[in-house]
Amino acid sequence: MSDGDNDPVQRPSSSSAGKRTRLNAGRIALILVGTVGVVAFILYATIVFYGLLMGS
């Protein structure tokens, strides 16, 4: 139990490459969620606009 290398609490911090990879993955996820939201909003607005034009 005196071996500190295997203790997950005492594990050294991630390398800068690992941090960059996680940051890039987060950015890709954020861009993907934003893109899906924009496409969904455009689809919703198109349906509402079409409904208003055809309903009157």
Side-chain angles (χ1 to χ4, degrees):
M1 287 297 243
S2 64
D3 195 8
D5 293 335
N6 293 331
D7 187 3
V9 175
Q10 300 296 326
R11 187 171 51 206
S13 63
S14 302
S15 66
S16 62
K19 289 178 183 175
R20 261 193 317 260
T21 302
R22 284 197 308 276
L23 185 62
N24 286 341
R27 285 180 181 159
I28 290 170
L30 189 62
I31 289 169
L32 188 62
V33 168
T35 303
V36 168
V38 168
V39 169
F41 177 75
I42 290 172
L43 183 62
Y44 170 75
T46 303
I47 291 170
V48 168
F49 189 65
Y50 180 78
L52 288 174
L53 285 178
M54 293 301 156
S56 59

